[in-house]
Amino acid sequence: MIGMLKNVYDSVVQPCTRDLFHGVLDDPRVEENCAALAENEKAYEEGRKTKKEHDDCKAKHKSLLPPFLLQGMPKDARRKSQAGYIPTGLAMMDYDGLPRPQEYFEQKVRPLLERPDIRICWVHITPSGRGLRIVFRIPSGCPSIEAAQRWMGEQLGDPSYDACVKDITRLSFAVPRRYVLYLDEDLLFAEPEAQPEAQPEAQPEAPAAASPAPAPAPQPEAPGMAYPDTFHGERFADIARRWLTATGEAEPKEGERHQRLLALATDLRYICENNPRWLFQAMPRYGLPEEEMKRICTYACEKHLSNYRPRRLEQALRPRPEDEDLPELPEKLPALIALLLGPTPDIYKAATAQGLFPALATYVYQAYFPYIDGTLTGLGQMCLLMAPSSSGKSCVNAATDRILAPIAAQDEENRRIEQQWKDEVNSKGANKDKRKRPKTCVQWVEPDMTNAVLVQRLMDAGGHYIYTRMDELKQFDALKGNVKTDGQFTAMCKAHDESPWGQERVGTMSVSGRPRLRFNWNASTTIGQGKAYFRKVLIDGPLTRLSLCTIPDQGIGADIPVYGTYGEAFDQQLRPYIENLSRATGRMECPEAYALAKRLNEECRQKAQKLQSRAYDSFRKRAALIAYRKACLLWLANGCTWEPEMEGFVRWSLHYDLACKMRFFGREVEAALALEAAEAPAAPSGRKRSDLLACLPEEFTYDDLVRVRRDEGKSAEGATDQLKQWKKRGNVEVVTGDTYKNATFRKSI
């Protein structure tokens, strides 16, 4: 009987019945992930993805596929069994890097199907679409899986198969039915012939090159002894994955597997009681033979054991929401988003997808939708792009230019009329009668406008949204005027709520009025400047009302991303969506978006409870409202018709927005909320050196301190001396070798 797992992180092996087997072949999730893997390979071959992007995508989607155990079943139904494996009588072979695996099957494998001495059970294309897997019954007389593979390689006339597949515990990832080229179901599920059971191997010697240890390694326990697969509720598989992700790529590649897994084992042994057998059970394999893994575990446990757990292990044991990876853009997108992202390079697609909505929302005229809190909400949008210097932060401009082209053309005519009036007024004397200022609706305004200009444009717009785009966020400061106020932050808050905004002046020539602030905008800034800009208003409201996005690091020496072309055909496809948005007005309802908003709010609420993060809980409420507005905009643009792809995209947009906010502001907002809850006085401007404690959570690491120092414009080199002073003054207490408790924080709360 063969076995199967729910995913690679599952530890319980269940017998795979025929019904389960066929259910997996027909599972749409298997089809979806294999399609994503095939597209990933194609994009890498065509140069549209870097190696890191390719490897990360591959690791992600393979981890979502259910794997089979074809060559052996564990005696105790646990994947990392200490009791040994029972051979199933099956062996499998992989031929990787085949551009046309089906042709290889026809030429090499099909001629062997009729031979009675070769009992092939199952042949399928591998999940990547670039390989072939052959599963067959081991012929009598073959003493091992490795020998059976050599024999089959001779029959095929091709010894270039993947030799790593000889391990009896090797997993075989599921594929959709269309990948199956041959299946003999009776032979695959036949009872195994009498075979000697696979016995656990003896504990190996340490590598000869290793230096002698100061003390002997612990003696291994009996082979049948099992160990916990969790530590304080965290699975070892999850801890190992976070450790690997934090120290490099999530999946070690050939050539570095031994080095990285040895480093992981050296850290992981601290929570395995320095026991090589427990460590062997807890460690991932990534294709290394069992014998080699045992050597690694034994050698790791012979090293000197410190009194404190390593810093990297501490970080892996305590995951934080701000350290989460950004979710990937869904493979299937709503038609409008797919159209607008078509010419955009892959590296910029996530940021551009978030940045499209302020421009789209500018076409909507006083349309309101009921929200789950019982109020009506407009569809205003504000998006901030935070990314490193020279990373391509103008990526959203090309798409928004095409979206706003009709508004730009109308604005040009209205500006001409306005300028004509100005010239006429200036040409007349002071005592002459002058024509009243014409009402010209200019929607796309310049970012350096004063408050008076903003009020005038809002009144001229007559309820329409106005829009601006800022290449640098500091351009928003023009709204402050010459007074020492934070008017720009107030404008952000009121624009989200569409509250009245204006000014009252007594002069006959002054601008006076209080229109509603219907104001959409895109802005970009570097990460450091963005964090500094919002430092004083972390919990005052502006951050929660924005939609955030970023651009991933492209690495040193990366190629310049190449854009596609926009043309007349693109504009013709886009025009119906713009017309649908322009027609929308009044109170409207989208039942699908409303139901989705309820589900997303509940998902985020449960996650906030699980994380116990005040910052995440603060961000998630308005982030869900922003996502609901995006769903309504997509529905309006599509002619008030809901597409199934809209739900997946809006869910991604919400979680992407939250992940960006937690990444850039999570720690700072967490500390600010804690201080507010304790009713502690705010830190004065021009902080002293010790006031850095106010920016740190109750428990923090050395890396946290370095990050805060850099945010304050201080060097990383002074962090060690800073810690020494704090410990001397009693401001911090040591928890472990690299984790500290903020004593001042605890007393204030």
Side-chain angles (χ1 to χ4, degrees), residues 146 163-170 201 204 257-258 261 280 283-297:
E146 188 176 4
C164 292
V165 186
K166 64 187 178 182
D167 187 356
I168 195 172
T169 66
R170 182 77 174 197
E201 301 178 48
R257 290 180 297 183
H258 185 281
L261 290 180
F280 178 76
M283 283 287 293
R285 301 295 193 266
Y286 293 105
L288 283 186
E290 298 291 284
E291 182 71 21
E292 183 64 23
M293 288 303 304
K294 290 180 179 178
R295 288 194 186 98
I296 287 174
C297 295

PDB file of all heavy atoms in Angstrom, residues 146 163-170 201 204 257-258 261 280 283-297:
ATOM      1  N   GLU A 146      18.089   1.406  -5.407  1.00  0.00           N
ATOM      2  CA  GLU A 146      19.169   1.938  -6.236  1.00  0.00           C
ATOM      3  C   GLU A 146      19.532   0.968  -7.356  1.00  0.00           C
ATOM      4  O   GLU A 146      19.735   1.372  -8.512  1.00  0.00           O
ATOM      5  CB  GLU A 146      20.384   2.222  -5.351  1.00  0.00           C
ATOM      6  CG  GLU A 146      21.497   2.956  -6.061  1.00  0.00           C
ATOM      7  CD  GLU A 146      22.636   3.300  -5.116  1.00  0.00           C
ATOM      8  OE1 GLU A 146      22.573   2.891  -3.943  1.00  0.00           O
ATOM      9  OE2 GLU A 146      23.567   3.983  -5.560  1.00  0.00           O
ATOM     10  N   ALA A 163      19.802  10.580  -9.430  1.00  0.00           N
ATOM     11  CA  ALA A 163      20.210   9.528  -8.492  1.00  0.00           C
ATOM     12  C   ALA A 163      19.717   9.770  -7.072  1.00  0.00           C
ATOM     13  O   ALA A 163      19.735   8.853  -6.249  1.00  0.00           O
ATOM     14  CB  ALA A 163      21.736   9.419  -8.491  1.00  0.00           C
ATOM     15  N   CYS A 164      19.247  10.977  -6.764  1.00  0.00           N
ATOM     16  CA  CYS A 164      18.787  11.276  -5.400  1.00  0.00           C
ATOM     17  C   CYS A 164      17.468  10.597  -5.068  1.00  0.00           C
ATOM     18  O   CYS A 164      17.060  10.569  -3.905  1.00  0.00           O
ATOM     19  CB  CYS A 164      18.629  12.781  -5.221  1.00  0.00           C
ATOM     20  SG  CYS A 164      20.193  13.680  -5.241  1.00  0.00           S
ATOM     21  N   VAL A 165      16.782  10.046  -6.043  1.00  0.00           N
ATOM     22  CA  VAL A 165      15.453   9.476  -5.817  1.00  0.00           C
ATOM     23  C   VAL A 165      15.540   8.082  -5.197  1.00  0.00           C
ATOM     24  O   VAL A 165      14.525   7.443  -4.933  1.00  0.00           O
ATOM     25  CB  VAL A 165      14.664   9.456  -7.160  1.00  0.00           C
ATOM     26  CG1 VAL A 165      13.228   9.020  -6.976  1.00  0.00           C
ATOM     27  CG2 VAL A 165      14.682  10.834  -7.792  1.00  0.00           C
ATOM     28  N   LYS A 166      16.733   7.590  -4.908  1.00  0.00           N
ATOM     29  CA  LYS A 166      16.884   6.229  -4.380  1.00  0.00           C
ATOM     30  C   LYS A 166      16.422   6.105  -2.925  1.00  0.00           C
ATOM     31  O   LYS A 166      16.209   4.986  -2.440  1.00  0.00           O
ATOM     32  CB  LYS A 166      18.352   5.817  -4.482  1.00  0.00           C
ATOM     33  CG  LYS A 166      19.270   6.677  -3.619  1.00  0.00           C
ATOM     34  CD  LYS A 166      20.725   6.353  -3.860  1.00  0.00           C
ATOM     35  CE  LYS A 166      21.636   7.253  -3.024  1.00  0.00           C
ATOM     36  NZ  LYS A 166      23.056   6.990  -3.273  1.00  0.00           N
ATOM     37  N   ASP A 167      16.259   7.211  -2.213  1.00  0.00           N
ATOM     38  CA  ASP A 167      15.865   7.177  -0.801  1.00  0.00           C
ATOM     39  C   ASP A 167      14.453   6.611  -0.662  1.00  0.00           C
ATOM     40  O   ASP A 167      13.522   7.048  -1.342  1.00  0.00           O
ATOM     41  CB  ASP A 167      15.930   8.601  -0.250  1.00  0.00           C
ATOM     42  CG  ASP A 167      15.692   8.657   1.250  1.00  0.00           C
ATOM     43  OD1 ASP A 167      15.412   7.598   1.832  1.00  0.00           O
ATOM     44  OD2 ASP A 167      15.781   9.749   1.816  1.00  0.00           O
ATOM     45  N   ILE A 168      14.272   5.656   0.252  1.00  0.00           N
ATOM     46  CA  ILE A 168      12.961   5.012   0.429  1.00  0.00           C
ATOM     47  C   ILE A 168      11.903   5.993   0.935  1.00  0.00           C
ATOM     48  O   ILE A 168      10.709   5.787   0.737  1.00  0.00           O
ATOM     49  CB  ILE A 168      13.087   3.804   1.396  1.00  0.00           C
ATOM     50  CG1 ILE A 168      11.853   2.904   1.296  1.00  0.00           C
ATOM     51  CG2 ILE A 168      13.314   4.273   2.828  1.00  0.00           C
ATOM     52  CD1 ILE A 168      11.980   1.608   2.060  1.00  0.00           C
ATOM     53  N   THR A 169      12.352   7.094   1.571  1.00  0.00           N
ATOM     54  CA  THR A 169      11.413   8.095   2.095  1.00  0.00           C
ATOM     55  C   THR A 169      11.115   9.206   1.094  1.00  0.00           C
ATOM     56  O   THR A 169      10.429  10.165   1.426  1.00  0.00           O
ATOM     57  CB  THR A 169      11.980   8.734   3.377  1.00  0.00           C
ATOM     58  OG1 THR A 169      13.152   9.482   3.042  1.00  0.00           O
ATOM     59  CG2 THR A 169      12.321   7.689   4.411  1.00  0.00           C
ATOM     60  N   ARG A 170      11.622   9.072  -0.119  1.00  0.00           N
ATOM     61  CA  ARG A 170      11.468  10.147  -1.115  1.00  0.00           C
ATOM     62  C   ARG A 170       9.996  10.396  -1.432  1.00  0.00           C
ATOM     63  O   ARG A 170       9.209   9.457  -1.603  1.00  0.00           O
ATOM     64  CB  ARG A 170      12.198   9.757  -2.401  1.00  0.00           C
ATOM     65  CG  ARG A 170      12.166  10.808  -3.495  1.00  0.00           C
ATOM     66  CD  ARG A 170      13.137  11.917  -3.197  1.00  0.00           C
ATOM     67  NE  ARG A 170      13.225  12.877  -4.297  1.00  0.00           N
ATOM     68  CZ  ARG A 170      14.195  13.753  -4.451  1.00  0.00           C
ATOM     69  NH1 ARG A 170      15.174  13.796  -3.575  1.00  0.00           N
ATOM     70  NH2 ARG A 170      14.209  14.590  -5.457  1.00  0.00           N
ATOM     71  N   GLU A 201      19.556   2.351  10.035  1.00  0.00           N
ATOM     72  CA  GLU A 201      20.994   2.162   9.961  1.00  0.00           C
ATOM     73  C   GLU A 201      21.646   2.549  11.276  1.00  0.00           C
ATOM     74  O   GLU A 201      21.122   3.322  12.057  1.00  0.00           O
ATOM     75  CB  GLU A 201      21.548   3.027   8.820  1.00  0.00           C
ATOM     76  CG  GLU A 201      20.932   2.665   7.479  1.00  0.00           C
ATOM     77  CD  GLU A 201      21.453   3.569   6.380  1.00  0.00           C
ATOM     78  OE1 GLU A 201      22.679   3.752   6.296  1.00  0.00           O
ATOM     79  OE2 GLU A 201      20.628   4.080   5.625  1.00  0.00           O
ATOM     80  N   PRO A 204      26.154   6.710  12.420  1.00  0.00           N
ATOM     81  CA  PRO A 204      27.438   6.814  11.734  1.00  0.00           C
ATOM     82  C   PRO A 204      28.481   7.537  12.575  1.00  0.00           C
ATOM     83  O   PRO A 204      28.186   8.214  13.544  1.00  0.00           O
ATOM     84  CB  PRO A 204      27.091   7.638  10.499  1.00  0.00           C
ATOM     85  CG  PRO A 204      25.947   8.483  10.952  1.00  0.00           C
ATOM     86  CD  PRO A 204      25.171   7.626  11.912  1.00  0.00           C
ATOM     87  N   ARG A 257      23.643  22.469   0.034  1.00  0.00           N
ATOM     88  CA  ARG A 257      22.747  21.788   0.973  1.00  0.00           C
ATOM     89  C   ARG A 257      23.475  21.338   2.227  1.00  0.00           C
ATOM     90  O   ARG A 257      22.987  21.537   3.348  1.00  0.00           O
ATOM     91  CB  ARG A 257      22.096  20.582   0.274  1.00  0.00           C
ATOM     92  CG  ARG A 257      21.092  20.960  -0.798  1.00  0.00           C
ATOM     93  CD  ARG A 257      20.497  19.746  -1.455  1.00  0.00           C
ATOM     94  NE  ARG A 257      21.511  18.954  -2.154  1.00  0.00           N
ATOM     95  CZ  ARG A 257      21.256  17.857  -2.863  1.00  0.00           C
ATOM     96  NH1 ARG A 257      20.021  17.416  -2.951  1.00  0.00           N
ATOM     97  NH2 ARG A 257      22.214  17.202  -3.485  1.00  0.00           N
ATOM     98  N   HIS A 258      24.641  20.717   2.079  1.00  0.00           N
ATOM     99  CA  HIS A 258      25.366  20.215   3.250  1.00  0.00           C
ATOM    100  C   HIS A 258      25.730  21.352   4.187  1.00  0.00           C
ATOM    101  O   HIS A 258      25.515  21.269   5.410  1.00  0.00           O
ATOM    102  CB  HIS A 258      26.624  19.474   2.794  1.00  0.00           C
ATOM    103  CG  HIS A 258      27.378  18.822   3.914  1.00  0.00           C
ATOM    104  ND1 HIS A 258      28.215  19.538   4.763  1.00  0.00           N
ATOM    105  CD2 HIS A 258      27.414  17.539   4.347  1.00  0.00           C
ATOM    106  CE1 HIS A 258      28.731  18.715   5.654  1.00  0.00           C
ATOM    107  NE2 HIS A 258      28.266  17.500   5.437  1.00  0.00           N
ATOM    108  N   LEU A 261      22.430  22.968   5.821  1.00  0.00           N
ATOM    109  CA  LEU A 261      21.734  22.066   6.739  1.00  0.00           C
ATOM    110  C   LEU A 261      22.575  21.779   7.975  1.00  0.00           C
ATOM    111  O   LEU A 261      22.035  21.563   9.062  1.00  0.00           O
ATOM    112  CB  LEU A 261      21.363  20.767   6.025  1.00  0.00           C
ATOM    113  CG  LEU A 261      20.264  20.906   4.960  1.00  0.00           C
ATOM    114  CD1 LEU A 261      19.966  19.565   4.307  1.00  0.00           C
ATOM    115  CD2 LEU A 261      18.984  21.478   5.567  1.00  0.00           C
ATOM    116  N   PHE A 280      17.776  14.320  14.076  1.00  0.00           N
ATOM    117  CA  PHE A 280      17.604  13.646  12.784  1.00  0.00           C
ATOM    118  C   PHE A 280      16.127  13.597  12.388  1.00  0.00           C
ATOM    119  O   PHE A 280      15.768  13.775  11.218  1.00  0.00           O
ATOM    120  CB  PHE A 280      18.181  12.229  12.879  1.00  0.00           C
ATOM    121  CG  PHE A 280      18.027  11.418  11.614  1.00  0.00           C
ATOM    122  CD1 PHE A 280      18.847  11.647  10.524  1.00  0.00           C
ATOM    123  CD2 PHE A 280      17.056  10.441  11.525  1.00  0.00           C
ATOM    124  CE1 PHE A 280      18.700  10.908   9.365  1.00  0.00           C
ATOM    125  CE2 PHE A 280      16.903   9.695  10.375  1.00  0.00           C
ATOM    126  CZ  PHE A 280      17.732   9.927   9.292  1.00  0.00           C
ATOM    127  N   MET A 283      14.993  17.354  11.359  1.00  0.00           N
ATOM    128  CA  MET A 283      15.645  18.062  10.255  1.00  0.00           C
ATOM    129  C   MET A 283      14.961  17.799   8.914  1.00  0.00           C
ATOM    130  O   MET A 283      14.560  16.666   8.622  1.00  0.00           O
ATOM    131  CB  MET A 283      17.107  17.627  10.157  1.00  0.00           C
ATOM    132  CG  MET A 283      17.999  18.248  11.194  1.00  0.00           C
ATOM    133  SD  MET A 283      18.334  19.995  10.863  1.00  0.00           S
ATOM    134  CE  MET A 283      19.289  19.886   9.368  1.00  0.00           C
ATOM    135  N   PRO A 284      14.843  18.838   8.064  1.00  0.00           N
ATOM    136  CA  PRO A 284      14.420  18.605   6.678  1.00  0.00           C
ATOM    137  C   PRO A 284      15.561  17.966   5.895  1.00  0.00           C
ATOM    138  O   PRO A 284      16.722  18.010   6.325  1.00  0.00           O
ATOM    139  CB  PRO A 284      14.114  20.013   6.163  1.00  0.00           C
ATOM    140  CG  PRO A 284      14.984  20.911   6.982  1.00  0.00           C
ATOM    141  CD  PRO A 284      15.087  20.265   8.334  1.00  0.00           C
ATOM    142  N   ARG A 285      15.249  17.377   4.738  1.00  0.00           N
ATOM    143  CA  ARG A 285      16.258  16.624   3.979  1.00  0.00           C
ATOM    144  C   ARG A 285      16.735  17.364   2.725  1.00  0.00           C
ATOM    145  O   ARG A 285      17.908  17.389   2.429  1.00  0.00           O
ATOM    146  CB  ARG A 285      15.690  15.256   3.559  1.00  0.00           C
ATOM    147  CG  ARG A 285      15.236  14.380   4.727  1.00  0.00           C
ATOM    148  CD  ARG A 285      16.405  13.973   5.618  1.00  0.00           C
ATOM    149  NE  ARG A 285      16.047  12.923   6.540  1.00  0.00           N
ATOM    150  CZ  ARG A 285      15.641  13.101   7.778  1.00  0.00           C
ATOM    151  NH1 ARG A 285      15.517  14.335   8.251  1.00  0.00           N
ATOM    152  NH2 ARG A 285      15.349  12.085   8.568  1.00  0.00           N
ATOM    153  N   TYR A 286      15.820  17.884   1.945  1.00  0.00           N
ATOM    154  CA  TYR A 286      16.125  18.561   0.686  1.00  0.00           C
ATOM    155  C   TYR A 286      17.002  17.706  -0.228  1.00  0.00           C
ATOM    156  O   TYR A 286      17.932  18.208  -0.869  1.00  0.00           O
ATOM    157  CB  TYR A 286      16.778  19.921   0.941  1.00  0.00           C
ATOM    158  CG  TYR A 286      15.832  20.882   1.595  1.00  0.00           C
ATOM    159  CD1 TYR A 286      15.944  21.200   2.939  1.00  0.00           C
ATOM    160  CD2 TYR A 286      14.784  21.458   0.878  1.00  0.00           C
ATOM    161  CE1 TYR A 286      15.056  22.063   3.551  1.00  0.00           C
ATOM    162  CE2 TYR A 286      13.884  22.327   1.483  1.00  0.00           C
ATOM    163  CZ  TYR A 286      14.032  22.622   2.825  1.00  0.00           C
ATOM    164  OH  TYR A 286      13.157  23.482   3.421  1.00  0.00           O
ATOM    165  N   GLY A 287      16.705  16.415  -0.262  1.00  0.00           N
ATOM    166  CA  GLY A 287      17.361  15.532  -1.222  1.00  0.00           C
ATOM    167  C   GLY A 287      18.641  14.889  -0.747  1.00  0.00           C
ATOM    168  O   GLY A 287      19.205  14.050  -1.458  1.00  0.00           O
ATOM    169  N   LEU A 288      19.160  15.258   0.425  1.00  0.00           N
ATOM    170  CA  LEU A 288      20.382  14.618   0.917  1.00  0.00           C
ATOM    171  C   LEU A 288      20.075  13.194   1.380  1.00  0.00           C
ATOM    172  O   LEU A 288      19.035  12.953   2.003  1.00  0.00           O
ATOM    173  CB  LEU A 288      20.988  15.413   2.065  1.00  0.00           C
ATOM    174  CG  LEU A 288      21.769  16.686   1.714  1.00  0.00           C
ATOM    175  CD1 LEU A 288      22.422  17.256   2.967  1.00  0.00           C
ATOM    176  CD2 LEU A 288      22.826  16.426   0.662  1.00  0.00           C
ATOM    177  N   PRO A 289      20.965  12.246   1.129  1.00  0.00           N
ATOM    178  CA  PRO A 289      20.735  10.858   1.581  1.00  0.00           C
ATOM    179  C   PRO A 289      20.636  10.773   3.105  1.00  0.00           C
ATOM    180  O   PRO A 289      21.193  11.609   3.828  1.00  0.00           O
ATOM    181  CB  PRO A 289      21.968  10.116   1.053  1.00  0.00           C
ATOM    182  CG  PRO A 289      22.533  10.984  -0.027  1.00  0.00           C
ATOM    183  CD  PRO A 289      22.205  12.398   0.360  1.00  0.00           C
ATOM    184  N   GLU A 290      19.933   9.738   3.569  1.00  0.00           N
ATOM    185  CA  GLU A 290      19.767   9.546   5.010  1.00  0.00           C
ATOM    186  C   GLU A 290      21.115   9.406   5.719  1.00  0.00           C
ATOM    187  O   GLU A 290      21.307   9.936   6.819  1.00  0.00           O
ATOM    188  CB  GLU A 290      18.904   8.310   5.270  1.00  0.00           C
ATOM    189  CG  GLU A 290      17.496   8.413   4.709  1.00  0.00           C
ATOM    190  CD  GLU A 290      16.674   9.438   5.454  1.00  0.00           C
ATOM    191  OE1 GLU A 290      16.240   9.145   6.585  1.00  0.00           O
ATOM    192  OE2 GLU A 290      16.477  10.538   4.913  1.00  0.00           O
ATOM    193  N   GLU A 291      22.053   8.698   5.072  1.00  0.00           N
ATOM    194  CA  GLU A 291      23.359   8.502   5.691  1.00  0.00           C
ATOM    195  C   GLU A 291      24.061   9.835   5.928  1.00  0.00           C
ATOM    196  O   GLU A 291      24.651  10.084   6.980  1.00  0.00           O
ATOM    197  CB  GLU A 291      24.215   7.605   4.794  1.00  0.00           C
ATOM    198  CG  GLU A 291      25.595   7.274   5.350  1.00  0.00           C
ATOM    199  CD  GLU A 291      25.530   6.330   6.534  1.00  0.00           C
ATOM    200  OE1 GLU A 291      24.508   5.624   6.695  1.00  0.00           O
ATOM    201  OE2 GLU A 291      26.504   6.296   7.300  1.00  0.00           O
ATOM    202  N   GLU A 292      23.978  10.714   4.947  1.00  0.00           N
ATOM    203  CA  GLU A 292      24.610  12.018   5.073  1.00  0.00           C
ATOM    204  C   GLU A 292      23.926  12.859   6.147  1.00  0.00           C
ATOM    205  O   GLU A 292      24.577  13.588   6.911  1.00  0.00           O
ATOM    206  CB  GLU A 292      24.560  12.747   3.729  1.00  0.00           C
ATOM    207  CG  GLU A 292      25.264  14.090   3.714  1.00  0.00           C
ATOM    208  CD  GLU A 292      26.764  13.973   3.954  1.00  0.00           C
ATOM    209  OE1 GLU A 292      27.335  12.882   3.708  1.00  0.00           O
ATOM    210  OE2 GLU A 292      27.355  14.955   4.410  1.00  0.00           O
ATOM    211  N   MET A 293      22.586  12.770   6.234  1.00  0.00           N
ATOM    212  CA  MET A 293      21.859  13.525   7.252  1.00  0.00           C
ATOM    213  C   MET A 293      22.236  13.056   8.653  1.00  0.00           C
ATOM    214  O   MET A 293      22.332  13.862   9.590  1.00  0.00           O
ATOM    215  CB  MET A 293      20.351  13.391   7.032  1.00  0.00           C
ATOM    216  CG  MET A 293      19.811  14.140   5.826  1.00  0.00           C
ATOM    217  SD  MET A 293      20.183  15.908   5.852  1.00  0.00           S
ATOM    218  CE  MET A 293      19.471  16.392   7.417  1.00  0.00           C
ATOM    219  N   LYS A 294      22.451  11.765   8.809  1.00  0.00           N
ATOM    220  CA  LYS A 294      22.861  11.255  10.127  1.00  0.00           C
ATOM    221  C   LYS A 294      24.243  11.770  10.502  1.00  0.00           C
ATOM    222  O   LYS A 294      24.509  12.098  11.673  1.00  0.00           O
ATOM    223  CB  LYS A 294      22.829   9.735  10.125  1.00  0.00           C
ATOM    224  CG  LYS A 294      21.412   9.171  10.077  1.00  0.00           C
ATOM    225  CD  LYS A 294      21.414   7.653  10.067  1.00  0.00           C
ATOM    226  CE  LYS A 294      19.972   7.121  10.039  1.00  0.00           C
ATOM    227  NZ  LYS A 294      19.929   5.650   9.977  1.00  0.00           N
ATOM    228  N   ARG A 295      25.145  11.847   9.533  1.00  0.00           N
ATOM    229  CA  ARG A 295      26.471  12.407   9.812  1.00  0.00           C
ATOM    230  C   ARG A 295      26.353  13.865  10.245  1.00  0.00           C
ATOM    231  O   ARG A 295      27.027  14.310  11.182  1.00  0.00           O
ATOM    232  CB  ARG A 295      27.354  12.309   8.560  1.00  0.00           C
ATOM    233  CG  ARG A 295      27.809  10.906   8.212  1.00  0.00           C
ATOM    234  CD  ARG A 295      28.941  10.970   7.191  1.00  0.00           C
ATOM    235  NE  ARG A 295      29.298   9.641   6.733  1.00  0.00           N
ATOM    236  CZ  ARG A 295      28.857   9.096   5.608  1.00  0.00           C
ATOM    237  NH1 ARG A 295      28.044   9.786   4.824  1.00  0.00           N
ATOM    238  NH2 ARG A 295      29.219   7.879   5.258  1.00  0.00           N
ATOM    239  N   ILE A 296      25.507  14.616   9.538  1.00  0.00           N
ATOM    240  CA  ILE A 296      25.324  16.032   9.867  1.00  0.00           C
ATOM    241  C   ILE A 296      24.804  16.189  11.295  1.00  0.00           C
ATOM    242  O   ILE A 296      25.301  17.010  12.070  1.00  0.00           O
ATOM    243  CB  ILE A 296      24.360  16.686   8.856  1.00  0.00           C
ATOM    244  CG1 ILE A 296      25.061  16.876   7.509  1.00  0.00           C
ATOM    245  CG2 ILE A 296      23.834  18.016   9.375  1.00  0.00           C
ATOM    246  CD1 ILE A 296      24.151  17.382   6.412  1.00  0.00           C
ATOM    247  N   CYS A 297      23.797  15.390  11.655  1.00  0.00           N
ATOM    248  CA  CYS A 297      23.197  15.511  12.991  1.00  0.00           C
ATOM    249  C   CYS A 297      24.181  15.113  14.084  1.00  0.00           C
ATOM    250  O   CYS A 297      24.249  15.751  15.146  1.00  0.00           O
ATOM    251  CB  CYS A 297      21.923  14.660  13.067  1.00  0.00           C
ATOM    252  SG  CYS A 297      20.605  15.229  11.976  1.00  0.00           S
TER     253      CYS A 297
END
